[in-house]
Amino acid sequence: MSTENEGTAAPTPPAAPSVTPAQGSETAAPATAPRPDHAPQDTTPVPPAPPAAPPAVPAAAPAPAAGEPVTQQLPPTAAPGGEPTQQIPPAPAAQASGYGQTPAYGQDTAYGHAPAPAAHSAEGWPPPPPTVPAYGAGGAGGGGPVWGVHPTDGAPAPKSKGKGGLIAAVLVAALVAGGIGGSVGYWAAERSNSGTGSTTISATNTPKDLKREAGSIAGLAAGALPSVVTIEASAGDGEGGTGTGFVYDQQGHILTNNHVVASAANGGKLFATFSDGKRYDAEVVGRAQGYDVAVLKLKNPPAGLKPLPLGDSDKVAVGDATIAIGAPFGLSNTVTTGIVSAKNRPVASGDGTGSKNSYMSALQTDASINPGNSGGPLLDGRGAVIGINSAIQSAGNGGFGGGQAGSIGLGFAIPINQAKNVAESLIKTGKPVYPVISVSVDLQAKTEGAKISEQGAAANELVDPNGPAGKAGLKPGDIITEFGGKPVDSGPTLISMIWTYKPGDTVKLTYLRDGKPTTVDITLGSRIGDK
């Protein structure tokens, strides 16, 4: 996933260096087409020969091997002045979630080769996502002939073959038609001057006004853009980046990703710019690192703020239309469209230090999402917010030491139902509240499920006997295979599922002990604040 708490399953290979094609020049002299003596001489130049084929596209860096998806958080784009962007390292997706295998948990990463801890205490959630191996570097591409270069000996250009030849033929046909039209027009004008009449033809069915329906993409975008802001975050040392947010209420609260504002949370500066260009100072009201949600407040909010309507992410269906709004690579007020590609995708993300991690059971969309879209709204076909854009899976190099990755049609958003609950808590208390089951999960375990740690701490720290799981009878070594009726295939998947609920909710949990499944009801506990 991408930087702003967009989960990353594995770092991507570095992008291949671009190859600049050689510049060509056109030297063929235009020819004139003679007319019979009895007709006015037409000196209109004959169009030049068709251009050569465009330059070859440089070869892309090789993709990871089959079954090894590469996801990474969407980073905020670089701040004005060439400041570096906030980099968010890769983190794993579920191992067997049905959309491709990922490298085994626990292997060294490319960022320092620090292995993930074997276990985490019951009160030490969120545990860091397991590290994964890096992929190899990619190769460079080659150049090709230059578009627009004509032969210098006056001979016609060779025929293109295949699809490229068809495109060239269409272009040439358009040019030739334009040349003929010009000649005919000139000849007709001369005939008109000599009293022979005019050949002018006017269209009578051109609509006077272009009206767009309120429910069209253009209509929905026009209604939402005034409530979307581009966020500029800068730390005390000058580092920072650009992200997106949207108006949450009329009091001036702005909802966005935690990773968008994290660099400015302690002594930095925050600015929010609306689509009309008006810029306002902002401050952090509260941040939830584990959820990757943050709430800002405009210091002097304007009158008449229009909050975006919130939808129901639980009722979203695969195939529903989506609209993403944001500032990809700093390009504010950008609108892209797609569909809901999948639901409940477990996504884990972090900053590479193992101390700042987030988990979500995400909505997946193929709407184009890029660095700078983070924190922006994902709308449904009615214009209601169904998620907060947070992460992408990319085939490009988005890790440390490389450039920012771009969209390949795999974007991930925090469901708005979850984000709304977090936002309300942050506005009221300034602190997030997390549901917990009070166990330590072994992120290095190679099992089909989430295994409760057996070592690394005392037994009462691995499973709190007074916590929800302990009261339900779970012990170290048990493997949790279902939660809320949904399969669990890894530790990060379990965490992302737990965090879609609220403290106090009762959920069915299935676990294996000595190969025998047992299902129990478990009432979720709570933890206040990030650790």
Side-chain angles (χ1 to χ4, degrees):
M1 306 308 155
S2 154
T3 57
E4 298 119 71
N5 261 12
E6 285 117 88
T8 75
T12 57
S18 61
V19 178
T20 305
Q23 298 297 321
S25 60
E26 181 177 326
T27 60
T32 59
R35 287 186 174 274
D37 294 338
H38 62 275
Q41 182 65 33
D42 185 357
T43 58
T44 305
V46 175
V57 178
E68 297 181 342
V70 180
T71 61
Q72 44 178 206
Q73 289 183 334
L74 291 177
T77 56
E83 296 296 339
T85 62
Q86 179 189 7
Q87 295 287 341
I88 305 292
Q95 253 188 324
S97 59
Y99 56 97
Q101 297 179 347
T102 58
Y105 294 143
Q107 298 184 18
D108 290 351
T109 67
Y111 314 127
H113 304 278
H120 302 275
S121 68
E123 297 300 324
W125 283 35
T131 55
V132 294
Y135 295 102
V146 180
W147 179 266
V149 177
H150 290 226
T152 58
D153 59 359
K159 275 190 176 181
S160 301
K161 297 182 179 179
K163 182 180 289 187
L166 176 60
I167 295 173
V170 172
L171 291 174
V172 171
L175 291 172
V176 170
I180 293 175
S183 301
V184 172
Y186 174 76
W187 182 63
E190 285 197 341
R191 292 288 297 273
S192 176
N193 290 338
S194 61
T196 58
S198 173
T199 60
T200 303
I201 300 175
S202 61
T204 59
N205 59 350
T206 302
K208 295 181 179 179
D209 296 318
L210 178 60
K211 295 182 180 180
R212 295 178 176 86
E213 299 295 332
S216 66
I217 299 298
L220 295 174
L225 278 168
S227 300
V228 179
V229 298
T230 299
I231 298 173
E232 300 169 57
S234 61
D237 57 5
E239 292 187 1
T242 301
T244 307
F246 59 93
V247 177
Y248 184 72
D249 58 28
Q250 293 183 329
Q251 287 68 48
H253 289 108
I254 304 295
L255 195 56
T256 186
N257 282 141
N258 171 66
H259 70 266
V260 170
V261 302
S263 62
N266 299 310
K269 295 182 179 181
L270 286 170
F271 302 98
T273 303
F274 284 81
S275 59
D276 61 4
K278 294 182 179 180
R279 190 168 183 251
Y280 298 87
D281 290 343
E283 59 186 353
V284 176
V285 172
R287 300 188 298 133
Q289 178 185 298
Y291 293 118
D292 193 24
V293 172
V295 175
L296 310 182
K297 191 174 190 302
L298 304 179
K299 292 184 178 180
N300 296 296
L305 284 176
K306 183 181 177 181
L308 287 182
L310 304 183
D312 186 347
S313 53
D314 289 340
K315 296 182 179 179
V316 169
V318 173
D320 282 352
T322 59
I323 304 172
I325 304 179
F329 297 102
L331 301 174
S332 301
N333 310 316
T334 295
V335 177
T336 57
T337 63
I339 62 169
V340 175
S341 304
K343 297 174 60 177
N344 303 315
R345 288 296 198 207
V347 176
S349 63
D351 65 351
T353 67
S355 61
K356 298 179 180 179
N357 310 299
S358 61
Y359 301 85
M360 60 177 142
S361 185
L363 296 176
Q364 181 182 323
T365 180
D366 66 344
S368 182
I369 298 175
N370 286 287
N373 274 110
S374 290
L378 183 69
L379 309 179
D380 63 13
R382 304 168 300 156
V385 181
I386 55 174
I388 301 178
N389 300 318
S390 299
I392 60 172
Q393 177 170 302
S394 178
N397 185 356
F400 289 121
Q404 292 180 344
S407 172
I408 58 170
L410 293 174
F412 302 92
I414 302 168
I416 194 60
N417 289 8
Q418 179 181 12
K420 179 182 177 181
N421 293 335
V422 178
E424 293 296 331
S425 175
L426 294 176
I427 292 172
K428 290 179 181 178
T429 68
K431 296 181 179 180
V433 178
Y434 296 93
V436 296
I437 62 174
S438 299
V439 300
S440 174
V441 178
D442 184 355
L443 297 179
Q444 294 183 344
K446 298 179 180 180
T447 59
E448 289 296 326
K451 184 178 181 180
I452 300 177
S453 301
E454 296 183 276
Q455 55 187 356
N460 63 348
E461 294 180 355
L462 299 175
V463 178
D464 183 354
N466 297 315
K471 291 180 179 179
L474 274 74
K475 298 179 179 180
D478 290 344
I479 299 174
I480 300 173
T481 58
E482 289 187 14
F483 190 83
K486 298 178 181 178
V488 175
D489 54 22
S490 68
T493 299
L494 174 63
I495 299 170
S496 66
M497 286 182 172
I498 293 173
W499 286 358
T500 62
Y501 292 87
K502 296 179 182 179
D505 288 347
T506 299
V507 186
K508 287 191 178 297
L509 180 152
T510 300
Y511 66 93
L512 295 177
R513 181 182 298 167
D514 298 327
K516 180 182 178 180
T518 302
T519 300
V520 296
D521 288 331
I522 186 169
T523 301
L524 303 179
S526 66
R527 191 196 76 222
I528 299 176
D530 287 302
K531 289 188 177 182

